[in-house]
Coordinates of all heavy atoms in Angstrom, one line a residue:
M9 N 34.7 32.0 61.2 CA 33.5 31.4 61.8 C 32.8 32.5 62.6 O 31.6 32.5 62.5 CB 34.0 30.2 62.7 CG 33.0 29.6 63.5 SD 32.0 28.5 62.5 CE 31.0 27.8 63.7
L10 N 33.5 33.2 63.4 CA 32.9 34.3 64.2 C 32.3 35.3 63.3 O 31.2 35.9 63.5 CB 33.9 34.9 65.1 CG 33.4 36.0 66.1 CD1 32.3 35.4 67.0 CD2 34.5 36.5 66.9
R11 N 32.9 35.6 62.2 CA 32.4 36.6 61.2 C 31.1 36.2 60.6 O 30.2 37.0 60.4 CB 33.5 36.9 60.1 CG 33.2 38.1 59.4 CD 34.3 38.4 58.4 NE 35.5 38.7 59.1 CZ 36.6 39.2 58.6 NH1 36.7 39.3 57.3 NH2 37.7 39.5 59.3
N12 N 31.0 34.9 60.3 CA 29.8 34.3 59.8 C 28.6 34.4 60.8 O 27.5 34.7 60.4 CB 30.0 32.9 59.3 CG 30.9 32.7 58.1 OD1 31.0 33.7 57.4 ND2 31.4 31.6 58.0
L13 N 28.9 34.1 62.0 CA 27.9 34.2 63.1 C 27.4 35.7 63.2 O 26.2 35.9 63.4 CB 28.4 33.7 64.4 CG 28.5 32.2 64.4 CD1 29.2 31.7 65.8 CD2 27.2 31.5 64.2
Q14 N 28.3 36.6 63.2 CA 27.9 38.0 63.3 C 27.1 38.5 62.1 O 26.1 39.2 62.3 CB 29.2 38.9 63.4 CG 29.9 38.8 64.8 CD 31.2 39.6 64.8 OE1 31.7 40.0 63.8 NE2 31.7 39.8 66.0
A15 N 27.4 38.0 61.0 CA 26.7 38.4 59.8 C 25.3 37.8 59.9 O 24.3 38.4 59.5 CB 27.4 37.9 58.5
L16 N 25.2 36.5 60.3 CA 23.9 35.9 60.5 C 23.0 36.6 61.5 O 21.8 36.8 61.3 CB 24.1 34.4 60.9 CG 22.8 33.6 61.0 CD1 22.1 33.5 59.7 CD2 23.2 32.2 61.6
R17 N 23.7 37.0 62.6 CA 22.9 37.8 63.6 C 22.4 39.1 63.1 O 21.2 39.5 63.4 CB 23.9 38.0 64.8 CG 23.2 38.7 66.0 CD 24.2 38.8 67.1 NE 23.6 39.7 68.1 CZ 24.3 40.4 68.9 NH1 25.6 40.4 68.9 NH2 23.7 41.2 69.8
Q18 N 23.2 39.8 62.3 CA 22.7 41.1 61.7 C 21.6 40.8 60.8 O 20.6 41.6 60.8 CB 23.9 41.8 61.0 CG 24.9 42.4 61.9 CD 26.1 43.0 61.2 OE1 26.2 42.8 60.0 NE2 26.9 43.7 61.9
I19 N 21.6 39.8 60.0 CA 20.6 39.5 59.0 C 19.3 39.2 59.8 O 18.2 39.6 59.4 CB 21.0 38.4 58.1 CG1 22.1 38.8 57.1 CG2 19.8 37.9 57.3 CD1 22.7 37.7 56.3
A20 N 19.4 38.4 60.8 CA 18.2 38.0 61.6 C 17.6 39.2 62.3 O 16.4 39.3 62.3 CB 18.6 36.9 62.7
Q21 N 18.4 40.1 62.8 CA 17.9 41.3 63.5 C 17.2 42.2 62.4 O 16.1 42.7 62.7 CB 19.0 42.0 64.2 CG 19.4 41.4 65.5 CD 20.5 42.2 66.1 OE1 21.2 43.0 65.5 NE2 20.8 41.9 67.4
R22 N 17.8 42.3 61.3 CA 17.2 43.1 60.3 C 15.9 42.6 59.8 O 14.9 43.4 59.6 CB 18.2 43.2 59.1 CG 18.0 44.4 58.2 CD 19.0 44.5 57.1 NE 20.4 44.4 57.7 CZ 21.4 43.8 57.1 NH1 21.2 43.2 55.9 NH2 22.6 43.8 57.6
T23 N 15.8 41.3 59.6 CA 14.5 40.7 59.0 C 13.4 40.8 60.1 O 12.3 41.0 59.8 CB 14.7 39.3 58.6 OG1 15.2 38.5 59.6 CG2 15.6 39.2 57.3
I24 N 13.8 40.6 61.4 CA 12.8 40.7 62.4 C 12.3 42.1 62.6 O 11.1 42.4 62.7 CB 13.3 40.1 63.7 CG1 13.5 38.6 63.6 CG2 12.4 40.4 64.9 CD1 14.2 37.9 64.7
S25 N 13.2 43.0 62.7 CA 12.8 44.4 63.0 C 12.1 45.1 61.8 O 11.3 46.0 62.0 CB 14.0 45.2 63.4 OG 14.9 45.3 62.3
T26 N 12.4 44.7 60.6 CA 11.8 45.4 59.4 C 10.6 44.6 58.8 O 10.2 44.9 57.8 CB 12.8 45.6 58.3 OG1 13.4 44.3 57.9 CG2 13.9 46.5 58.8
A27 N 10.2 43.5 59.5 CA 9.1 42.7 58.9 C 7.9 43.5 58.9 O 7.6 44.2 59.9 CB 9.0 41.4 59.8
S28 N 7.1 43.4 57.8 CA 5.9 44.2 57.8 C 4.9 43.5 58.7 O 4.7 42.3 58.7 CB 5.4 44.2 56.3 OG 5.1 42.9 55.9
R29 N 4.2 44.3 59.4 CA 3.1 43.8 60.3 C 1.8 44.1 59.7 O 1.5 45.2 59.2 CB 3.2 44.6 61.6 CG 4.5 44.3 62.3 CD 4.5 44.8 63.8 NE 5.7 44.5 64.4 CZ 6.6 45.3 64.9 NH1 6.3 46.6 64.8 NH2 7.7 44.9 65.5
R30 N 1.0 43.1 59.7 CA -0.4 43.2 59.2 C -1.2 44.0 60.1 O -1.2 43.8 61.3 CB -1.0 41.8 58.9 CG -0.3 41.0 57.9 CD -1.0 39.7 57.7 NE -0.2 38.9 56.7 CZ -0.5 37.6 56.5 NH1 -1.5 37.0 57.1 NH2 0.2 37.0 55.6
Q31 N -2.1 44.8 59.6 CA -3.0 45.6 60.4 C -4.4 44.8 60.4 O -5.0 44.6 59.4 CB -3.2 47.0 59.8 CG -1.9 47.8 59.8 CD -1.4 48.1 61.1 OE1 -2.2 48.3 62.1 NE2 -0.1 48.0 61.3
F32 N -4.8 44.4 61.6 CA -6.0 43.7 61.8 C -7.1 44.6 62.3 O -6.8 45.5 63.1 CB -5.8 42.5 62.7 CG -5.0 41.4 62.2 CD1 -3.7 41.2 62.6 CD2 -5.5 40.6 61.2 CE1 -2.9 40.2 62.1 CE2 -4.7 39.5 60.6 CZ -3.4 39.4 61.1
E33 N -8.3 44.4 61.9 CA -9.4 45.1 62.4 C -9.8 44.6 63.8 O -9.8 43.4 64.0 CB -10.6 45.0 61.5 CG -11.8 45.8 61.9 CD -12.9 45.6 60.9 OE1 -12.7 45.2 59.8 OE2 -14.1 45.9 61.3
N34 N -10.0 45.5 64.7 CA -10.4 45.1 66.1 C -11.8 44.6 66.1 O -12.7 45.4 65.9 CB -10.2 46.2 67.0 CG -10.3 45.8 68.5 OD1 -10.6 44.7 68.8 ND2 -10.1 46.8 69.4
K35 N -12.0 43.3 66.3 CA -13.4 42.7 66.3 C -13.8 42.3 67.7 O -14.7 41.5 67.8 CB -13.4 41.5 65.4 CG -13.1 41.9 63.9 CD -13.2 40.7 63.0 CE -12.9 41.1 61.6 NZ -13.0 39.9 60.7
V36 N -13.1 42.8 68.7 CA -13.4 42.3 70.1 C -14.9 42.7 70.5 O -15.6 41.9 71.0 CB -12.4 42.9 71.1 CG1 -12.8 42.6 72.5 CG2 -11.0 42.4 70.8
S37 N -15.3 43.9 70.2 CA -16.7 44.3 70.6 C -17.7 43.5 69.9 O -18.7 43.2 70.5 CB -16.9 45.8 70.3 OG -16.7 46.1 68.9
E38 N -17.5 43.1 68.6 CA -18.4 42.2 67.9 C -18.5 40.9 68.6 O -19.6 40.3 68.7 CB -18.0 42.1 66.5 CG -18.1 43.4 65.7 CD -17.5 43.2 64.3 OE1 -17.3 42.1 63.8 OE2 -17.2 44.2 63.7
K39 N -17.4 40.3 68.9 CA -17.3 39.0 69.6 C -18.0 39.1 71.0 O -18.7 38.1 71.4 CB -15.9 38.5 69.7 CG -15.2 38.2 68.4 CD -15.9 37.0 67.8 CE -15.1 36.6 66.5 NZ -15.7 35.5 65.8
Q40 N -17.8 40.2 71.7 CA -18.4 40.3 73.0 C -19.9 40.3 72.9 O -20.6 39.7 73.7 CB -17.9 41.6 73.7 CG -16.5 41.5 74.3 CD -16.1 42.8 74.8 OE1 -16.6 43.9 74.5 NE2 -15.1 42.8 75.7
K41 N -20.4 41.1 71.9 CA -21.9 41.1 71.7 C -22.4 39.7 71.4 O -23.5 39.3 71.9 CB -22.2 42.0 70.6 CG -22.1 43.5 70.9 CD -22.4 44.4 69.7 CE -22.0 45.8 70.0 NZ -22.2 46.7 68.9
L42 N -21.7 39.0 70.5 CA -22.1 37.6 70.1 C -22.2 36.7 71.3 O -23.1 36.0 71.5 CB -21.1 37.1 69.1 CG -21.4 35.6 68.7 CD1 -22.6 35.5 67.9 CD2 -20.2 35.1 67.9
F43 N -21.1 36.7 72.1 CA -21.0 35.7 73.2 C -21.9 36.2 74.5 O -22.2 35.3 75.3 CB -19.6 35.5 73.6 CG -18.9 34.6 72.7 CD1 -18.0 35.2 71.7 CD2 -19.0 33.3 72.7 CE1 -17.4 34.4 70.8 CE2 -18.4 32.4 71.8 CZ -17.5 33.0 70.8
Q44 N -22.2 37.4 74.6 CA -23.0 37.9 75.7 C -24.5 37.9 75.4 O -25.3 38.1 76.3 CB -22.5 39.3 76.2 CG -21.2 39.2 76.8 CD -20.7 40.6 77.2 OE1 -21.3 41.6 77.0 NE2 -19.5 40.6 77.9
E45 N -24.9 37.6 74.2 CA -26.3 37.6 73.8 C -27.0 36.5 74.5 O -26.5 35.3 74.5 CB -26.3 37.5 72.3 CG -27.7 37.6 71.7 CD -27.6 37.5 70.2 OE1 -26.7 38.1 69.6 OE2 -28.5 36.9 69.6
N46 N -28.1 36.8 75.1 CA -28.9 35.7 75.8 C -29.9 35.1 74.8 O -31.0 35.5 74.7 CB -29.6 36.4 77.0 CG -30.2 35.3 77.9 OD1 -30.0 34.1 77.7 ND2 -31.0 35.7 78.8
N47 N -29.5 34.1 74.1 CA -30.3 33.4 73.2 C -30.5 31.9 73.5 O -31.0 31.2 72.6 CB -29.8 33.6 71.7 CG -28.4 33.2 71.6 OD1 -27.8 32.6 72.5 ND2 -27.8 33.5 70.4
G48 N -30.1 31.4 74.6 CA -30.3 30.1 75.0 C -29.3 29.1 74.5 O -29.3 27.9 74.7
I49 N -28.3 29.6 73.7 CA -27.3 28.7 73.1 C -26.1 28.6 74.1 O -25.7 29.7 74.6 CB -26.8 29.2 71.7 CG1 -27.9 29.2 70.8 CG2 -25.7 28.3 71.2 CD1 -27.6 29.9 69.4
P50 N -25.6 27.4 74.4 CA -24.4 27.4 75.3 C -23.2 28.1 74.7 O -23.1 28.2 73.5 CB -24.1 25.9 75.4 CG -25.3 25.2 74.9 CD -26.0 26.1 74.0
V51 N -22.4 28.7 75.6 CA -21.3 29.5 75.1 C -20.3 28.8 74.2 O -19.7 29.3 73.3 CB -20.6 30.2 76.3 CG1 -19.8 29.2 77.1 CG2 -19.7 31.3 75.9
H52 N -20.2 27.5 74.4 CA -19.2 26.7 73.6 C -19.8 26.4 72.2 O -19.0 25.8 71.4 CB -18.8 25.4 74.3 CG -19.9 24.5 74.7 ND1 -20.6 24.6 75.9 CD2 -20.5 23.5 74.0 CE1 -21.6 23.7 75.9 NE2 -21.5 23.0 74.8
L53 N -21.0 26.8 71.9 CA -21.6 26.5 70.6 C -21.9 27.9 69.9 O -22.4 27.8 68.8 CB -22.8 25.7 70.7 CG -22.6 24.2 71.2 CD1 -23.9 23.5 71.4 CD2 -21.7 23.5 70.3
K54 N -21.7 29.0 70.5 CA -22.1 30.3 69.9 C -21.2 30.7 68.8 O -21.5 31.6 68.0 CB -22.0 31.4 71.0 CG -23.2 31.3 71.9 CD -23.3 32.5 72.8 CE -24.5 32.5 73.7 NZ -24.7 33.7 74.5
G55 N -20.1 30.0 68.5 CA -19.2 30.3 67.4 C -19.7 29.9 66.1 O -19.2 30.2 65.0
G56 N -20.8 29.1 66.0 CA -21.4 28.7 64.8 C -21.2 27.2 64.4 O -21.0 26.4 65.3
A57 N -21.2 26.9 63.1 CA -21.1 25.5 62.7 C -19.7 24.9 63.1 O -19.7 23.7 63.4 CB -21.3 25.5 61.2
T58 N -18.7 25.6 63.0 CA -17.4 25.1 63.4 C -17.3 24.6 64.8 O -16.8 23.5 65.1 CB -16.3 26.1 63.1 OG1 -16.4 26.6 61.8 CG2 -14.9 25.6 63.4
D59 N -17.9 25.4 65.7 CA -17.9 25.0 67.1 C -18.8 23.8 67.3 O -18.4 22.9 68.1 CB -18.5 26.2 68.0 CG -17.5 27.3 68.2 OD1 -16.3 27.1 67.9 OD2 -17.8 28.3 68.8
A60 N -19.9 23.7 66.6 CA -20.8 22.5 66.8 C -20.0 21.3 66.3 O -20.1 20.2 66.9 CB -22.1 22.8 66.0
L61 N -19.3 21.4 65.1 CA -18.6 20.3 64.6 C -17.5 19.8 65.5 O -17.3 18.6 65.8 CB -18.0 20.6 63.2 CG -17.2 19.6 62.5 CD1 -18.1 18.4 62.1 CD2 -16.5 20.1 61.3
L62 N -16.7 20.8 66.1 CA -15.7 20.4 67.0 C -16.2 19.8 68.3 O -15.7 18.9 68.9 CB -14.9 21.7 67.4 CG -13.9 22.2 66.3 CD1 -13.3 23.5 66.7 CD2 -12.8 21.2 66.1
Y63 N -17.4 20.3 68.8 CA -18.0 19.8 70.0 C -18.4 18.3 69.7 O -18.2 17.4 70.5 CB -19.2 20.6 70.3 CG -20.0 20.1 71.5 CD1 -19.5 20.2 72.8 CD2 -21.3 19.5 71.3 CE1 -20.3 19.7 73.8 CE2 -22.0 19.0 72.3 CZ -21.5 19.1 73.6 OH -22.2 18.5 74.7
R64 N -19.1 18.1 68.6 CA -19.5 16.7 68.3 C -18.4 15.8 68.1 O -18.4 14.6 68.6 CB -20.4 16.7 67.0 CG -21.8 17.3 67.3 CD -22.7 17.3 66.2 NE -24.0 17.9 66.5 CZ -24.5 18.8 65.7 NH1 -24.0 19.2 64.6 NH2 -25.7 19.4 66.1
A65 N -17.3 16.2 67.4 CA -16.1 15.4 67.3 C -15.5 15.1 68.6 O -15.1 13.9 68.9 CB -15.1 16.1 66.3
T66 N -15.4 16.0 69.5 CA -14.9 15.8 70.8 C -15.7 14.8 71.6 O -15.2 13.9 72.3 CB -14.8 17.1 71.6 OG1 -14.0 18.0 70.9 CG2 -14.2 16.9 73.0
M67 N -17.0 14.9 71.5 CA -17.9 14.0 72.2 C -17.8 12.5 71.7 O -17.7 11.6 72.4 CB -19.4 14.4 72.1 CG -19.7 15.6 73.0 SD -19.5 15.2 74.7 CE -18.1 16.2 75.1
V68 N -17.7 12.4 70.3 CA -17.5 11.1 69.7 C -16.2 10.5 70.2 O -16.2 9.3 70.5 CB -17.6 11.2 68.2 CG1 -17.1 9.9 67.5 CG2 -19.1 11.5 67.8
L69 N -15.1 11.2 70.1 CA -13.8 10.7 70.5 C -13.8 10.4 72.0 O -13.2 9.3 72.4 CB -12.7 11.7 70.2 CG -12.4 11.9 68.7 CD1 -11.4 13.0 68.5 CD2 -11.8 10.6 68.2
T70 N -14.5 11.2 72.8 CA -14.5 10.9 74.3 C -15.3 9.6 74.6 O -14.8 8.7 75.3 CB -15.1 12.1 75.0 OG1 -14.4 13.2 74.8 CG2 -15.2 11.8 76.5
I71 N -16.5 9.5 74.0 CA -17.3 8.3 74.2 C -16.6 7.1 73.7 O -16.6 6.0 74.3 CB -18.7 8.5 73.7 CG1 -19.4 9.6 74.5 CG2 -19.5 7.2 73.7 CD1 -20.7 10.1 73.9
G72 N -16.1 7.2 72.5 CA -15.4 6.1 71.8 C -14.2 5.7 72.6 O -13.9 4.5 72.8
G73 N -13.4 6.6 73.1 CA -12.2 6.3 73.9 C -12.6 5.6 75.2 O -11.9 4.7 75.7
T74 N -13.7 6.1 75.9 CA -14.1 5.5 77.1 C -14.6 4.1 76.9 O -14.2 3.1 77.7 CB -15.3 6.3 77.7 OG1 -14.8 7.7 77.9 CG2 -15.7 5.7 79.0
A75 N -15.3 3.8 75.8 CA -15.8 2.5 75.5 C -14.6 1.6 75.2 O -14.6 0.4 75.7 CB -16.8 2.5 74.3
Y76 N -13.7 2.1 74.5 CA -12.5 1.2 74.2 C -11.7 0.9 75.4 O -11.2 -0.2 75.6 CB -11.6 2.0 73.2 CG -10.4 1.2 72.7 CD1 -10.5 0.0 71.9 CD2 -9.1 1.5 73.1 CE1 -9.5 -0.7 71.5 CE2 -8.0 0.8 72.7 CZ -8.2 -0.3 71.9 OH -7.1 -1.0 71.5
A77 N -11.5 1.9 76.3 CA -10.8 1.6 77.6 C -11.5 0.6 78.4 O -10.9 -0.3 79.0 CB -10.7 2.9 78.4
I78 N -12.9 0.7 78.5 CA -13.6 -0.3 79.3 C -13.5 -1.7 78.6 O -13.3 -2.7 79.3 CB -15.1 0.1 79.4 CG1 -15.2 1.3 80.3 CG2 -16.0 -1.0 79.9 CD1 -16.6 2.0 80.3
Y79 N -13.5 -1.8 77.3 CA -13.4 -3.0 76.6 C -12.0 -3.6 76.9 O -11.9 -4.8 77.2 CB -13.5 -2.8 75.1 CG -13.1 -4.0 74.2 CD1 -13.9 -5.1 74.2 CD2 -11.9 -4.0 73.6 CE1 -13.6 -6.2 73.4 CE2 -11.5 -5.1 72.8 CZ -12.4 -6.2 72.7 OH -12.0 -7.3 72.0
Q80 N -10.9 -2.8 76.8 CA -9.6 -3.3 77.1 C -9.4 -3.8 78.5 O -8.7 -4.7 78.8 CB -8.5 -2.2 76.8 CG -8.4 -2.0 75.3 CD -7.9 -3.3 74.6 OE1 -7.1 -4.1 75.1 NE2 -8.3 -3.4 73.3
L81 N -10.1 -3.1 79.5 CA -10.1 -3.5 80.9 C -10.8 -4.9 81.0 O -10.3 -5.7 81.7 CB -10.8 -2.5 81.7 CG -9.9 -1.5 82.4 CD1 -10.8 -0.4 83.0 CD2 -9.2 -2.2 83.5
A82 N -11.9 -5.1 80.3 CA -12.6 -6.3 80.4 C -11.7 -7.5 79.8 O -11.7 -8.6 80.3 CB -13.9 -6.2 79.7
V83 N -11.1 -7.2 78.7 CA -10.2 -8.2 78.0 C -9.0 -8.5 79.0 O -8.7 -9.7 79.1 CB -9.7 -7.7 76.7 CG1 -8.6 -8.5 76.1 CG2 -10.8 -7.6 75.7
A84 N -8.5 -7.5 79.6 CA -7.3 -7.8 80.5 C -7.8 -8.5 81.8 O -7.0 -9.2 82.4 CB -6.6 -6.5 80.8
S85 N -9.0 -8.3 82.2 CA -9.5 -8.9 83.4 C -9.7 -10.4 83.3 O -9.6 -11.2 84.3 CB -10.8 -8.3 83.8 OG -10.7 -7.0 83.9
F86 N -10.0 -10.9 82.1 CA -10.3 -12.3 81.9 C -9.3 -12.9 80.9 O -9.6 -12.9 79.7 CB -11.8 -12.5 81.3 CG -12.8 -11.9 82.2 CD1 -13.5 -10.7 81.8 CD2 -13.1 -12.5 83.4 CE1 -14.4 -10.2 82.7 CE2 -14.1 -11.9 84.3 CZ -14.7 -10.7 83.9
P87 N -8.2 -13.3 81.4 CA -7.2 -13.8 80.5 C -7.6 -15.1 79.8 O -8.5 -15.9 80.3 CB -6.0 -14.1 81.4 CG -6.5 -14.2 82.8 CD -7.8 -13.4 82.8
K88 N -7.1 -15.4 78.6 CA -7.5 -16.6 77.9 C -6.9 -17.8 78.5 O -5.7 -17.7 79.0 CB -7.0 -16.5 76.4 CG -7.7 -15.4 75.6 CD -7.1 -15.3 74.2 CE -7.8 -14.2 73.5 NZ -7.3 -14.2 72.1
K89 N -7.6 -18.9 78.5 CA -7.1 -20.1 79.1 C -6.1 -20.7 78.1 O -6.4 -20.8 76.9 CB -8.2 -21.1 79.3 CG -9.1 -20.7 80.4 CD -10.2 -21.7 80.7 CE -11.1 -21.2 81.8 NZ -12.2 -22.2 82.0
Q90 N -5.0 -21.3 78.6 CA -4.1 -21.9 77.7 C -4.4 -23.4 77.7 O -4.6 -24.1 78.7 CB -2.7 -21.7 78.2 CG -2.2 -20.3 78.1 CD -0.8 -20.1 78.5 OE1 -0.1 -21.1 78.9 NE2 -0.3 -18.9 78.5
D91 N -4.5 -24.0 76.5 CA -4.8 -25.4 76.3 C -3.6 -26.3 76.5 O -2.5 -26.1 76.3 CB -5.4 -25.7 74.9 CG -6.8 -25.0 74.8 OD1 -7.4 -24.8 75.8 OD2 -7.1 -24.6 73.6

């Protein structure tokens, strides 16, 4: 049992330490230029169509959730009469 655990530990260390690392291009300066540009667009929408879609989806879910919560409060406030 102990031998199996030691073997597993060695395999795990070997795969972690020898894993190939991807080389990514540094795009920080490009993103800084994009977000610091003064073009009248709010910072949360400067990422493009994806940001706009996420923003709209968030607004729809927020407004819908608020309306549903108010509706449930109204339903709970006025209990049904029992006949």
Side-chain angles (χ1 to χ4, degrees):
M9 176 78 174
L10 184 60
R11 196 175 292 191
N12 289 340
L13 287 176
Q14 288 176 344
L16 181 62
R17 183 176 170 210
Q18 286 177 353
I19 291 171
Q21 284 179 344
R22 199 175 310 141
T23 55
I24 290 172
S25 65
T26 60
S28 64
R29 295 189 178 121
R30 295 182 182 171
Q31 298 296 322
F32 290 105
E33 183 182 341
N34 190 358
K35 297 182 182 179
V36 173
S37 61
E38 295 172 17
K39 293 291 184 182
Q40 284 177 339
K41 288 177 188 175
L42 173 71
F43 284 102
Q44 291 178 354
E45 188 175 317
N46 189 9
N47 54 6
I49 299 174
V51 71
H52 57 274
L53 296 176
K54 284 190 177 185
T58 305
D59 282 352
L61 181 66
L62 286 172
Y63 175 74
R64 288 185 182 128
T66 302
M67 286 297 111
V68 166
L69 288 172
T70 302
I71 292 169
T74 302
Y76 183 70
I78 291 170
Y79 170 76
Q80 288 298 327
L81 262 167
V83 168
S85 304
F86 304 108
K88 294 181 181 179
K89 293 183 181 178
Q90 294 183 1
D91 292 332

